Amino acid sequence: MDPRSATKISRATLVLAATDVWRLLDLASCMTAVEQAFVAHAESRAFGPAILGVHVPGGGFHVKAAGMSGPQSRFAAKLNANFPGNGARFGLPTIQGVVVLSDGENGFPLAVMDSGSITVLRTAAATGVAAKVLAREDARVATVCGLGAQSRTQLRALALVRPLEKVFAVDLDPARAQTFAADMSRDLGVPVEAAADLARAAQASDLIVTCKPAKRWLLDRAMVRPGAFVAAVGADSEDKQEIAPDLMASAKVVCNVRAQCAAIGDLHHAVAAGVMKIDDVHAELADVLTGRRPGRESADEITLFDSTGTALQDVAAAALVHARAAAAGVGARVRFGDG
């Protein structure tokens, strides 16, 4: 082979579809990678994260970016479009986009990959990591509210860190809840019940995940029993809200990134309501993982993970997908430039 051809091949960018991502990245490995990314952030081995959001008629775009140093420095920028009316109008997913993974030392674009699959996996991975350190050890009953694209992987993440015995599935669409319950009962070997009443389900649960693009809170303090763990993953812009300010104020709040949650998470609404200050946040997840701050300290305290989704998670997941794709020869190879 012409050495120049080998050089060209080595400088090709991998293009990976959603099917490639799902085949290459299992949830347990993603959880390990995401946990390591948060630790890197706490130890100043990460750069960023940063976020840019732009609203447009019918939806919006956001860019999340971050990088990690180390033996292989990596930087990722994710461009996601969020258009809630896509299904009815165009038959398209609500969220679409791409992740660009670059070499952190020289800027070369190593891969371009589907962002929807990355987002689902890394968001659930963060919930699993948070539940591992914030949920009670004897947590056995879970509620998942909002049964869209995130929900199944969220439940699987909980099942990886706690031996579930019962699950409640809550959605405005009864048929969707019934389908979810049947599918996840079979997949996990755990009874999953479609529930119409969120309050009743939440009051019976040790673990609660909310993953709805709600414009007003759907879970308040009266719905959550002492000792529960709540993961709020649906609010990722300033106009979205899942958790009532009174629940935020009474819980031990752990953020993925404090400043980001104060800008676009449920923390944003609690601060705006005057029931919390940013300094009232107990910790960032990275602080708990590294032991700088304690996780759960009593059986009765309510712990709440405000998960706005951070590019730290994206770069961790994308770097692992790229490494596995390169090793397995998966993906199309494209040369974008002349360098």
Side-chain angles (χ1 to χ4, degrees):
M1 177 183 291
D2 185 337
R4 291 173 297 178
S5 298
T7 300
K8 288 182 179 180
I9 292 173
S10 68
R11 292 181 180 177
T13 301
L14 284 178
V15 179
L16 300 164
T19 52
D20 299 320
V21 174
W22 285 112
R23 180 155 58 99
L24 292 163
L25 185 58
D26 61 286
L27 183 55
S29 297
C30 189
M31 285 174 59
T32 299
V34 164
E35 181 170 350
Q36 291 171 346
F38 279 114
V39 171
H41 176 58
E43 296 176 348
S44 299
R45 293 184 287 109
F47 29 100
I51 185 169
L52 169 67
V54 178
H55 294 285
V56 299
F61 296 88
H62 69 246
V63 179
K64 293 181 176 179
M68 290 190 295
S69 59
Q72 288 189 322
S73 180
R74 296 290 183 260
F75 178 86
K78 180 175 75 176
L79 169 62
N80 261 7
N82 188 323
F83 285 78
N86 267 359
R89 293 184 63 195
F90 306 111
L92 292 172
T94 296
I95 297 176
Q96 302 171 96
V98 295
V99 176
V100 179
L101 179 73
S102 298
D103 189 306
E105 293 186 45
N106 57 39
F108 183 79
L110 298 167
V112 177
M113 63 189 74
D114 168 70
S115 71
S117 48
I118 290 287
T119 298
V120 167
L121 284 160
R122 61 77 150 154
T123 305
T127 295
V129 171
K132 185 171 66 172
V133 294
L134 296 175
R136 287 171 50 142
E137 291 290 343
D138 61 354
R140 298 292 184 269
V141 181
T143 286
V144 179
C145 177
L147 305 179
Q150 288 280 350
S151 57
R152 294 172 185 240
T153 315
Q154 289 285 328
L155 181 55
R156 291 187 180 104
L158 292 181
L160 285 176
V161 297
R162 293 294 184 269
L164 300 180
E165 296 177 356
K166 175 76 175 180
V167 177
F168 296 101
V170 182
D171 195 87
L172 291 175
D173 183 343
R176 176 186 284 182
Q178 291 290 348
T179 299
F180 178 96
D183 291 348
M184 297 308 293
S185 293
R186 181 176 59 253
D187 290 355
L188 297 180
V190 173
V192 180
E193 176 185 322
D197 188 337
L198 173 58
R200 176 176 287 185
Q203 288 167 351
S205 297
D206 313 303
L207 307 145
I208 304 167
V209 177
T210 57
C211 41
K212 286 178 63 66
K215 300 297 185 181
R216 185 180 184 276
W217 64 263
L218 48 92
L219 192 71
D220 69 7
R221 175 64 187 87
M223 299 179 183
V224 180
R225 70 187 187 186
F229 163 76
V230 179
V233 304
D236 60 356
S237 66
E238 65 274 10
D239 63 334
K240 294 181 183 178
Q241 181 186 19
E242 294 182 305
I243 308 301
D246 72 332
L247 176 54
M248 293 290 294
S250 63
K252 173 180 279 185
V253 176
V254 174
C255 296
N256 54 3
V257 177
R258 191 189 317 251
Q260 184 170 302
C261 291
I264 63 172
D266 279 292
L267 175 62
H268 162 75
H269 297 282
V271 171
V275 301
M276 284 185 73
K277 301 185 296 293
I278 296 175
D279 290 342
D280 292 331
V281 170
H282 173 69
E284 291 190 347
L285 181 58
D287 296 322
V288 177
L289 293 172
T290 56
R292 292 180 180 176
R293 296 286 289 162
R296 173 174 289 277
E297 295 178 273
S298 76
D300 289 337
E301 67 183 350
I302 295 171
T303 54
L304 191 148
F305 179 48
D306 194 359
S307 178
T308 52
T310 168
L312 294 167
Q313 300 158 239
D314 295 318
V315 70
L320 184 54
V321 168
H322 170 258
R324 290 181 172 180
V330 173
R333 284 160 172 76
V334 177
R335 284 180 58 85
F336 288 111
D338 297 326

